[in-house]
């Protein structure tokens, strides 16, 4: 994938982040997500490509979400598959909290795993621990393998985990082992990328979150030389055994069967992202460890974007200044529709 197309994708997350920022701290995560989705769709459709959303946050009956199978772009040009998370951290955006980002990964036609928007268990480590993790083993064994490879004691390990009730037991187990746990409210994409950067202070990321976020993160992890394993989980396994959760789990299972992907099967990084012909881009909405958030003064807004190209393993941070009052710009049109 060429540099020009990579820059086009970075503009997509920039504009989605700016749209989401309009809802910063307003307490309405659905409105923030809707604004980011609308902006992302608009920008994607300006790109000269034959694009398809292969894993997104909604199905076709849940529009206006970017749904699995949605066609984007001009319809001509390179065949591109896209994994999106318009806002990784919708609640953080709504509450004005740190580490919210807009995320997109793009690759060739069969680069990414195709799966429904459902839960995914994820285990991520950086390049030094590549090949050492196994999600089919207990978490303690993975912690010990990671510590051994890094030449650390368990008490020197730092693990990021989503602060959700479903993780209370594993967090307690890690604490009992002496592991330092950084519990984050949301935003496991940013955490996973942080884990794989050259100056990472995080040794592992573990938790059950969304599959779209998992596949998008896997693109960056592969490009950065890290490692990841994952497992798709049905809703009733994660949210509890109720009639509604069983119904939704049955729908997820049926969609997985149609796509030829198994639930409860360990997926390696190469199953999630099959080649290096990819681009990962993320733009900060609120300030965080990975990216600076948007700062705005009057009609000037500044964004910071991380752009990673898989084949060259090039990591760029792009700071952009946007004039929001330029009526001929895409940003103005989106923010004032």
């Amino acid at each position: 994938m060429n540099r020009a197309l990579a820059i086009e994708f970075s503009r997509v997350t920039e504009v989605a982040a700016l749209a989401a920022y309009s809802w910063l701290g307003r307490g309405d995560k659905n409105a923030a997500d809707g604004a980011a989705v609308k902006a992302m769709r608009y920008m994607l459709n300006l790109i000269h490509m034959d694009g398809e959303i292969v894993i997104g946050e909604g199905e076709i009956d849940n529009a206006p979400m970017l749904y699995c199978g949605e066609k984007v772009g001009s319809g001509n040009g390179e065949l591109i598959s896209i994994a999106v998370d318009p806002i990784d951290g919708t609640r953080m955006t709504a509450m004005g909290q740190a580490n919210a980002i807009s995320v997109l990964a793009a690759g060739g036609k069969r680069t990414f795993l195709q799966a429904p928007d459902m839960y995914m268990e994820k285990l991520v480590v950086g390049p030094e621990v590549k090949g050492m993790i196994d999600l089919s083993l207990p978490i303690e064994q993975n912690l010990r393998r990671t510590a051994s490879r890094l030449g650390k004691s368990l008490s020197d390990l730092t693990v990021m985990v989503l602060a959700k009730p479903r993780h209370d037991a594993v967090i307690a187990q890690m604490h009992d082992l002496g592991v330092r746990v950084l519990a984050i409210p949301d935003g496991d994409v940013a955490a996973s990328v942080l884990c794989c950067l050259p100056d990472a202070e995080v040794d592992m990321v573990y938790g059950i979150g969304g599959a779209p976020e998992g596949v998008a993160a896997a693109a960056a992890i592969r490009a950065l030389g890290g490692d990841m394993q994952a497992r798709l989980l049905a809703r009733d396994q994660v949210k509890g055994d109720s009639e509604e959760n069983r119904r939704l789990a049955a729908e997820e299972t049926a969609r997985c069967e149609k796509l030829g992907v198994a639930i409860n099967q360990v997926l390696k990084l190469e199953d999630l992202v099959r080649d290096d012909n990819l681009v990962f881009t993320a733009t900060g909405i609120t300030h965080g460890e990975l990216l600076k958030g948007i700062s705005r003064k009057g009609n000037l807004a500044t964004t910071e974007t991380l752009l990673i190209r898989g084949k060259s393993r090039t990591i760029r941070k792009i700071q952009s200044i946007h004039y929001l009052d330029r009526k001929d710009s895409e940003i103005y049109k989106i923010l004032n529709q």
Side-chain angles (χ1 to χ4, degrees):
M1 193 173 300
N2 62 50
R3 281 192 200 89
L5 199 51
I7 293 295
E8 289 293 321
F9 286 124
S10 73
R11 294 178 67 235
V12 174
T13 57
E14 282 179 353
V15 176
L18 286 164
Y21 185 80
S22 300
W23 291 91
L24 180 70
R26 300 186 186 279
D28 191 339
K29 67 177 187 178
N30 291 329
D33 208 28
V37 168
K38 186 176 180 181
M40 192 169 269
R41 177 180 283 119
Y42 182 98
M43 294 300 293
L44 284 169
N45 283 328
L46 294 178
I47 299 175
H48 183 64
M49 65 173 177
D50 183 1
E52 181 180 349
I53 306 298
V54 295
I55 186 159
E57 285 198 287
E59 305 297 331
I60 190 167
D61 57 339
N62 288 326
M65 304 303 286
L66 282 155
Y67 59 84
C68 302
E70 180 174 353
K71 298 291 186 179
V72 291
S74 66
N76 299 308
E78 194 173 344
L79 293 171
I80 301 290
S81 59
I82 300 167
V84 295
D85 190 5
I87 304 179
D88 182 36
T90 52
R91 188 169 64 85
M92 286 129 70
T93 302
M95 302 304 292
Q97 297 173 337
N99 287 311
I101 60 176
S102 178
V103 177
L104 179 150
K109 186 170 177 60
R110 280 176 282 276
T111 296
F112 302 119
L113 173 80
Q114 285 190 275
D117 179 8
M118 59 190 296
Y119 283 104
M120 176 183 276
E121 184 181 15
K122 310 160 196 177
L123 182 62
V124 179
V125 291
E128 291 176 281
V129 193
K130 187 173 178 63
M132 294 297 293
I133 56 172
D134 186 345
L135 195 54
S136 64
L137 296 175
I139 189 66
E140 181 176 348
Q141 285 186 245
N142 282 291
L143 290 167
R144 293 190 182 280
R145 285 183 172 200
T146 299
S148 176
R149 175 58 66 91
L150 293 173
K152 294 183 175 184
S153 64
L154 285 176
S155 61
D156 290 327
L157 277 187
T158 300
V159 181
M160 274 192 171
V161 183
L162 288 177
K164 306 290 185 184
R166 58 182 174 266
H167 297 141
D168 287 348
V170 76
I171 290 173
Q173 182 185 5
M174 289 182 188
H175 282 155
D176 288 342
L177 292 167
V179 173
R180 180 187 295 111
V181 177
L182 303 181
I184 55 175
D186 290 293
D188 59 351
V189 176
S192 298
V193 176
L194 272 173
C195 183
C196 297
L197 289 174
D199 56 350
E201 295 182 8
V202 177
D203 300 307
M204 177 186 287
V205 176
Y206 173 78
I208 298 169
E213 293 89 339
V215 174
I221 292 161
R222 176 161 181 149
L224 293 169
D227 203 3
M228 175 179 180
Q229 291 195 2
R231 180 161 39 201
L232 293 169
L233 301 175
R235 183 173 293 262
D236 56 348
Q237 294 175 268
V238 178
K239 301 292 285 185
D241 186 19
S242 69
E243 184 177 347
E244 175 68 3
N245 287 338
R246 286 196 299 273
R247 181 185 68 79
L248 292 169
E251 291 178 4
E252 291 169 346
T253 301
R255 289 200 291 269
C256 283
E257 289 175 353
K258 186 176 180 181
L259 291 168
V261 60
I263 293 177
N264 295 318
Q265 178 178 302
V266 174
L267 300 166
K268 295 183 178 180
L269 182 59
E270 54 267 30
D271 298 317
L272 300 168
V273 182
R274 299 184 182 98
D275 60 65
D276 294 321
N277 183 29
L278 61 87
V279 167
F280 172 90
T281 177
T283 301
I285 301 169
T286 59
H287 292 297
E289 290 85 358
L290 180 65
L291 288 162
K292 294 178 182 177
I294 293 169
S295 59
R296 180 170 176 177
K297 185 176 181 180
N299 284 314
L300 285 180
T302 302
T303 59
E304 185 174 72
T305 298
L306 177 68
L307 178 61
I308 304 171
R309 292 182 65 214
K311 278 193 172 180
S312 60
R313 196 169 287 180
T314 305
I315 306 168
R316 290 184 174 89
K317 275 196 174 179
I318 304 169
Q319 187 179 74
S320 304
I321 298 174
H322 308 268
Y323 288 80
L324 304 181
D325 57 348
R326 289 290 302 270
K327 294 185 179 181
D328 58 341
S329 71
E330 290 89 358
I331 295 171
Y332 182 89
K333 293 172 186 174
I334 291 167
L335 296 183
N336 292 280
Q337 281 180 348

